[in-house]
């Protein structure tokens, strides 16, 4: 299979979209498929896993490269001749790629990963939520299939008028993120740094940006025997640091790979603060590491956290409930252990191999649907709007 991946974000930018795209490319390479990547121009490598990376003109907006409309996109797609287009979190670049794929008769799968309406509202793009959702509908209705990561995001998309939707979650590295990491020397050393006097370590991992609402951790001020550890960086860090001034906080900066796994292993519990997540990948990573999770009852975490079993969900706008949930887990080590074990069990069927195999199934579905039944002749082609048949 030949797959053209068009992503609004790619290396060296590291975020949920990039990570998901990299794991998909890993799977495609290991399964013997062919692929290319089209992404905004921002210093990406020339190739990844042997797949060529094509960069198109972009501009920087609040630390994000944003792809500009370019005739290169259709030319690149036409030269590669993909069987399917994978549009990761389509916005400007992805919308153009979907339109180009339709002109070329290439079926497309759009991956919904970003709350576009929320992003526009927070970043002053001059788009009201209503206008933003109209744009989302226009983009995703151009695709043959939209994959939603959670029940909440699927509901939002259907409410916006997107019709062809299936569910596709995200995988997690069950080997790298593992409770056994707690016994490594690296974890012991980090633990000594984070908890010099035996404090319960409350951890956060993610981008430090307005939509992540990390400043809500200030509600934990004064909790006895609790220390905070924050992994990540971003444009809101100065404001968050000011809000947490005087609290026992260790800033670990951006971490990846084994360093990130060590950080999870050094935590006692994990707090997810944002109430606008379409999925919540760090929640899965925390569960894989054997940690109980405290998260808002909103967006992706609703699907990922079973309240009272592997974590606690709090009303999304209630900081007092957030504080109460953390306090409850901080004083009850056996409960943390039971919930952490339950979280690990919950993600055992969500490896990237399993999830990417599901994605290949979605590719095959749109390719099959795009095939024209020879018995239908020109009329069949006219109804489907496709000019290419796939074997």
């Amino acid at each position: 299979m030949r797959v053209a991946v068009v992503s609004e974000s790619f290396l060296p930018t590291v975020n949920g979209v990039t990570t998901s795209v990299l794991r998909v490319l890993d799977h495609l390479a290991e399964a013997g498929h062919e692929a290319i990547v089209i992404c905004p121009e921002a210093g990406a490598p020339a190739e990844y896993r042997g797949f060529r990376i094509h960069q198109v003109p972009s501009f920087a907006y609040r630390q994000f490269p944003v792809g500009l409309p370019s005739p290169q996109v259709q030319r690149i797609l036409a030269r590669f001749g993909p069987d399917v287009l994978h549009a990761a979190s389509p916005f400007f670049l992805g919308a153009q790629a979907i339109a180009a794929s339709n002109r070329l008769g290439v079926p497309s799968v759009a991956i919904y990963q970003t709350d576009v309406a929320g992003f526009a509202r927070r970043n002053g793009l001059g788009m009201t939520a209503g206008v933003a959702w109209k744009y989302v509908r226009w983009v995703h209705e151009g695709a043959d299939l939209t994959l939603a990561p959670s029940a909440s995001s699927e509901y939002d998309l259907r409410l916006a008028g997107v019709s062809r939707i299936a569910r596709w979650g995200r995988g997690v590295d069950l080997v790298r993120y593992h409770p056994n990491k707690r016994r490594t020397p690296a974890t012991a050393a980090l633990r000594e740094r984070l908890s010099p006097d035996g404090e319960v370590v409350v951890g956060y991992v993610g981008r430090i940006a307005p939509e992540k609402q990390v400043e809500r951790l200030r509600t934990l001020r004064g909790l006895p025997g609790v220390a905070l550890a924050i992994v990540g960086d971003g444009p809101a860090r100065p404001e968050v640091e000011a809000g947490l001034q005087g609290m026992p906080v260790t800033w670990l900066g951006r971490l990846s790979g084994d360093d990130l796994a060590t950080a999870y292993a050094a935590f006692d519990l994990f707090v997810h603060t944002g109430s606008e997540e379409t999925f919540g990948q760090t929640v899965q990573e925390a569960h894989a590491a054997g940690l109980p999770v405290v998260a808002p009852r909103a967006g992706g975490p609703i699907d990922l956290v079973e309240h009272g079993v592997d974590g606690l969900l709090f009303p999304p706008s209630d900081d007092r409930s957030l504080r109460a949930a953390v306090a409850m887990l901080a004083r009850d080590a056996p409960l943390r252990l039971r919930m952490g074990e339950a979280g690990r069990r919950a993600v055992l069927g969500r490896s990237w191999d399993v999830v990417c195999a599901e994605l290949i199934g979605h590719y095959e579905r749109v390719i099959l649907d795009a095939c024209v039944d020879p018995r239908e002749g020109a009329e069949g082609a006219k109804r489907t709007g496709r000019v290419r048949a796939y074997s």
Side-chain angles (χ1 to χ4, degrees), residues 34-59:
E34 297 178 63
I36 59 168
V37 175
I38 303 174
C39 63
E41 189 174 40
E47 64 174 42
Y48 179 83
R49 294 298 301 264
F51 300 143
R52 185 174 176 185
I53 312 301
H54 299 268
Q55 298 184 70
V56 299
S58 68
F59 68 97

Side-chain angles (χ1 to χ4, degrees), residues 85-334:
L85 174 81
H86 173 123
S89 194
F91 194 44
F92 292 143
L93 180 59
Q96 182 187 6
I98 290 170
S101 72
N102 285 334
R103 289 191 291 270
L104 295 169
V106 175
S108 57
V109 174
I111 314 299
Y112 181 73
Q113 255 174 292
T114 303
D115 176 8
V116 174
F119 179 87
R121 183 176 60 251
R122 285 187 305 271
N123 291 281
L125 292 181
M127 300 168 71
T128 65
V131 172
W133 275 114
K134 287 181 180 178
Y135 182 77
V136 169
R137 179 174 67 245
W138 175 75
V139 172
H140 284 267
E141 279 294 273
D144 292 84
L145 180 66
T146 289
L147 298 181
S150 65
S152 174
S153 57
E154 180 178 354
Y155 173 80
D156 288 343
L157 287 165
R158 291 196 184 280
L159 195 63
V162 180
S163 56
R164 298 178 297 279
I165 305 173
R167 190 78 60 81
W168 183 64
R170 303 293 178 269
V172 63
D173 190 332
L174 297 172
V175 176
R176 172 164 282 161
Y177 305 112
H178 196 288
N180 288 345
K181 286 275 187 180
R182 295 172 187 164
R183 297 194 288 268
T184 66
T187 299
L190 179 58
R191 179 78 190 185
E192 181 65 27
R193 177 184 169 192
L194 301 179
S195 177
D197 298 313
E199 296 93 342
V200 172
V201 180
V202 176
Y204 168 85
V205 175
R207 184 169 156 79
I208 314 299
E211 68 272 15
K212 301 299 183 180
Q213 301 172 278
V214 187
E215 68 280 357
R216 301 183 72 181
L217 292 174
R218 65 177 179 264
T219 194
L220 305 182
R221 186 182 300 275
L223 276 183
V226 168
L228 292 175
I230 297 178
V231 175
D233 206 347
R237 178 165 172 170
E239 291 82 358
V240 174
E241 282 188 336
L244 302 181
Q245 192 77 32
M247 295 178 65
V249 183
T250 302
W251 292 84
L252 297 173
R254 293 179 181 173
L255 298 177
S256 61
D258 289 339
D259 291 335
L260 178 56
T262 296
Y264 278 115
F267 299 162
D268 291 300
L269 64 104
F270 182 81
V271 174
H272 177 81
T273 50
S275 59
E276 300 178 0
E277 292 290 330
T278 58
F279 187 67
Q281 180 63 11
T282 56
V283 171
Q284 285 202 138
E285 292 170 353
H287 273 160
L291 296 174
V293 173
V294 174
R297 191 185 295 275
I302 295 174
D303 291 347
L304 301 177
V305 179
E306 186 175 357
H307 182 71
V309 176
D310 50 34
L312 298 171
L313 295 170
F314 60 89
S317 60
D318 189 347
D319 284 355
R320 289 187 301 175
S321 293
L322 165 57
R323 179 185 174 93
V326 171
M328 176 181 171
L329 288 172
R331 65 174 177 261
D332 194 336

Side-chain angles (χ1 to χ4, degrees), residues 357-370:
E358 293 175 1
L359 179 62
I360 297 299
H362 290 302
Y363 291 165
E364 292 171 344
R365 169 184 165 186
V366 297
I367 291 171
L368 182 62
D369 288 347

